[in-house]
């Protein structure tokens, strides 16, 4: 078990005062058996007139921030601290009927999984053509092995390239360019898995990078994205095709959604002229601290 502290700051600078509209934040981690939120702090400048917390359709915790002011600068700063229990290796305890692919999901689960199975780019032939290179049609394969192969194919076959432009590349664009960001790779794996009949969903959060750990707060950094695939008997299994990770090791889960557009860490609006586009500075730091044995004992389940 490890304790992570995540500091995330975003600053917008406008060329002249603009009227700030509502902003929406997705930064509070989802509590579960493998991660437990210990502390959560939020600072906003200028002061908002109201801050509300709601759960969205996926059960994510959203923060809605309203303003009634003209401003040239807008800053959001969040700090979260949580316990994290990593999975050292994938544990595919798969139901007998799903141990080999292809298989059909249970009728009781299918209505809930169906939105996550449907392809979002059904007319796109690039994904099936790319899959055919290492997943031959008409051949049964162990389900866990197939998913790990798909994860590795993206991690080893594509180059990561940070992009400041908003939005996510289509899977066809990522395949054509042979490069992308973590959001692009997550979407590619989701679409590939869906084309094989799996239920897949998008995850946004943070990744712990040991090389960036230490007493000094470093600049730069960013949020991270990966995906999860529903495997009968194992539930939602996390796959990070950017880093080739299977399971939750080094991954701090914040929000899940059906599409990347539904899991944006920070979004909002303002009223101004066409030339009032803001510059943006983002800093993300993830630090770790070993949890004391005494604290482990005190937090143990009875």
């Amino acid at each position: 078990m490890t304790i992570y502290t995540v500091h995330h700051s975003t600053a917008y600078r406008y060329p002249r005062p603009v009227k700030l509209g509502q902003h929406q934040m997705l930064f509070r981690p989802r509590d579960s058996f493998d991660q437990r939120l210990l502390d959560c702090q939020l600072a906003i400048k200028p002061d908002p007139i109201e801050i509300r917390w709601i759960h969205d359709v996926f059960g994510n915790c959203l923060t809605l921030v309203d303003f009634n002011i003209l401003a040239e600068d807008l800053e959001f700063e969040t700090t979260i601290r949580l316990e994290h229990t990593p999975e050292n290796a994938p544990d595919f305890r798969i139901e007998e009927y799903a141990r080999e692919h292809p298989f059909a999901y249970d009728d009781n689960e299918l209505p809930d999984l169906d939105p996550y199975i449907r392809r979002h780019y059904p007319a796109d032939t690039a994904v099936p053509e790319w899959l055919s290179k290492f997943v031959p049609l008409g051949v049964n394969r162990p389900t866990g092995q197939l998913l790990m192969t798909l994860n590795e194919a993206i991690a080893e076959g594509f180059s990561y390239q940070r992009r400041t432009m908003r939005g996510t590349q289509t899977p066809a664009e990522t395949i054509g360019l042979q490069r992308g960001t973590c959001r692009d790779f997550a979407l590619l794996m989701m679409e590939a898995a869906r084309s094989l009949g799996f239920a897949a969903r998008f995850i946004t959060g943070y990744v712990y990078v040991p090389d960036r750990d230490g007493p000094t707060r470093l600049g730069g950094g960013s949020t991270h994205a990966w995906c999860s695939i529903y495997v009968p008997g194992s539930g939602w299994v996390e796959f990070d095709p950017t880093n080739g990770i299977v399971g939750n090791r080094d991954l701090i889960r914040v929000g899940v959604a059906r599409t990347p557009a539904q899991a944006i860490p920070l979004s909002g609006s303002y009223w101004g002229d066409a030339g009032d586009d803001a510059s943006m500075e983002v800093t993300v730091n993830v630090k770790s601290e070993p949890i004391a044995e005494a604290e482990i004992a005190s937090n143990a389940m009875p």
Side-chain angles (χ1 to χ4, degrees):
M1 183 183 294
T2 303
I3 292 180
Y4 288 125
T5 298
V6 182
H7 180 265
H8 183 176
S9 66
T10 304
Y12 297 98
R13 312 295 182 198
Y14 299 92
R16 67 184 185 88
V18 297
K19 183 179 180 181
L20 301 175
Q22 186 180 84
H23 283 65
Q24 177 176 294
M25 305 179 68
L26 177 57
F27 76 95
R28 184 185 177 98
R30 295 171 67 100
D31 279 300
S32 187
F33 63 90
D34 59 348
Q35 61 178 36
R36 183 168 71 93
L37 185 63
L38 301 175
D39 187 37
C40 180
Q41 299 178 21
L42 169 63
I44 303 173
K45 296 179 183 179
D47 292 333
I49 59 171
E50 184 181 26
I51 298 177
R52 294 189 297 130
W53 302 79
I54 66 171
H55 286 107
D56 69 6
V57 68
F58 304 107
N60 301 315
C61 185
L62 297 184
T63 309
L64 303 180
V65 184
D66 287 305
F67 299 92
N68 185 22
I69 193 173
L70 293 171
E72 293 183 67
D73 301 309
L74 177 59
E75 299 178 6
F76 298 88
E77 186 171 357
T78 62
T79 302
I80 57 175
R81 188 169 179 265
L82 75 159
E83 288 180 357
H84 187 271
T85 303
E87 297 172 338
N88 294 323
D91 184 11
F92 290 116
R93 301 188 183 185
I94 303 176
E95 295 285 353
E96 181 68 32
Y97 73 88
R99 289 183 180 175
E100 284 200 348
H101 179 272
F103 65 88
Y105 285 115
D106 185 272
D107 289 342
N108 291 323
E109 296 178 323
L110 190 57
D112 301 300
L113 294 174
D114 186 63
Y116 299 94
I117 298 173
R118 289 198 299 267
R119 289 187 60 188
H120 285 244
Y121 302 88
D124 181 1
T125 61
V127 170
E129 290 173 0
W130 173 72
L131 272 174
S132 67
K133 298 177 182 178
F134 53 92
V135 182
L137 293 176
V139 178
N140 290 359
R141 298 188 61 179
T143 298
Q145 182 187 83
L146 172 61
L147 292 172
M148 287 192 289
T149 298
L150 178 57
N151 196 54
E152 292 170 4
I154 299 174
E156 297 176 2
F158 294 80
S159 300
Y160 176 83
Q161 184 176 63
R162 188 169 182 175
R163 188 176 67 251
T164 57
M165 293 176 58
R166 298 175 183 176
T168 307
Q169 292 176 174
T170 67
E173 289 174 330
T174 301
I175 291 172
L177 294 170
Q178 289 291 291
R179 64 176 184 269
T181 67
C182 56
R183 296 176 73 86
D184 303 327
F185 297 153
L187 180 58
L188 172 57
M189 179 153 182
M190 290 167 58
E191 189 69 5
R194 287 168 173 169
S195 71
L196 294 171
F198 289 100
R201 64 184 185 181
F202 184 84
I203 302 179
T204 184
Y206 302 99
V207 61
Y208 170 68
V209 181
D211 290 346
R212 295 183 61 82
D213 204 342
T216 303
R217 180 177 293 174
L218 302 176
S222 64
T223 56
H224 191 52
W226 59 102
C227 67
S228 60
I229 311 295
Y230 190 78
V231 180
S234 294
W236 289 103
V237 181
E238 297 181 50
F239 292 88
D240 178 5
T242 301
N243 298 300
I245 297 173
V246 180
N248 71 337
R249 177 174 53 86
D250 297 334
L251 299 174
I252 300 170
R253 186 172 55 256
V254 172
V256 302
R258 186 170 43 85
T259 70
Q262 296 168 316
I264 298 174
L266 175 59
S267 61
S269 62
Y270 67 89
W271 287 269
D273 292 335
D276 290 337
D277 287 344
S279 63
M280 182 176 68
E281 299 174 5
V282 179
T283 300
V284 175
N285 280 275
V286 183
K287 307 292 184 182
S288 70
E289 54 181 282
I291 187 169
E293 293 297 326
E295 192 170 351
I296 293 177
S298 66
N299 291 332
M301 294 291 290

